[in-house]
Amino acid sequence: QNKYIPKEFKNKKFDSIFTSNLKRAIQSANLVSSNNKIISTNLLNEIDYGKIEGKDIKYLESNFPNIVKNWKMKKDVSFPMGENYHDVELRIKKFFKKNNTKIVNSNKTLIVTHNVIIRIILGSAFLIPKYDWFKLNLQYFKIYDFIFLNGKLLPNVDRKELKKIFKNV
């Protein structure tokens, strides 16, 4: 099969691999690893959009105008029957607390997850206000390197890449 694997993933070896439970994350992890030790967890799932899953901003504005109004006031409100940034941030913290030992004892860990998760990790690390996290410019199938030290994630991203990520903030 002819499957596209970005060059930055080729010839990389990972001691441990974590993914969200979503099929596309697991498939992506399988592309870069022949290792059957991939651990899937719902703690790394994308934000739960609740009733607006698959809908666009116009639908949200028409059907849930208070959410958009609250966002404009820089409030972190939940999607109807879904999550907000705070909820997802708690999941991420739980993931790292639960897997701290495995990550620390691993030479290289790969985490395959989704945009909102990565935005929250980067936004938190760089002390970006929550209301600006959605502005972070991320690329798909891109490695964002971090060092896990004393229970904290420290970004190890070069300046050129940081400029791209923060260009809209």
Side-chain angles (χ1 to χ4, degrees), residues 38-106:
I38 295 171
I39 300 166
S40 297
T41 173
N42 64 342
L43 296 174
L44 294 172
N45 285 0
E46 179 64 291
I47 191 168
D48 182 352
Y49 291 102
K51 286 185 173 183
I52 66 145
E53 180 69 45
K55 308 289 189 214
D56 62 13
I57 191 72
K58 289 179 183 176
Y59 176 87
L60 186 64
E61 289 170 331
S62 298
N63 294 280
F64 302 97
N66 281 343
I67 290 176
V68 177
K69 180 181 162 188
N70 280 304
W71 283 345
K72 287 179 180 175
M73 296 183 334
K74 301 180 178 179
K75 293 183 180 176
D76 182 28
V77 294
S78 297
F79 288 102
M81 309 273 300
E83 294 177 302
N84 63 4
Y85 279 149
H86 178 74
D87 298 329
V88 179
E89 192 174 22
L90 291 176
R91 277 199 282 119
I92 295 167
K93 287 178 181 178
K94 187 175 180 181
F95 166 78
F96 283 109
K97 186 175 182 181
K98 180 179 179 182
N99 296 289
N100 182 49
T101 304
K102 186 165 185 110
I103 293 169
V104 168
N105 293 332
S106 174

Side-chain angles (χ1 to χ4, degrees), residues 5-49:
I5 301 173
K7 65 182 176 188
E8 65 184 327
F9 283 93
K10 290 184 179 176
N11 302 319
K12 289 226 181 206
K13 302 288 183 215
F14 301 99
D15 300 322
S16 55
I17 299 177
F18 296 90
T19 72
S20 77
N21 284 342
L22 300 182
K23 186 177 179 179
R24 68 181 185 260
I26 296 166
Q27 288 172 335
S28 294
N30 282 319
L31 280 177
V32 298
S33 173
S34 57
N35 180 349
N36 291 329
K37 296 178 184 175
I38 295 171
I39 300 166
S40 297
T41 173
N42 64 342
L43 296 174
L44 294 172
N45 285 0
E46 179 64 291
I47 191 168
D48 182 352
Y49 291 102

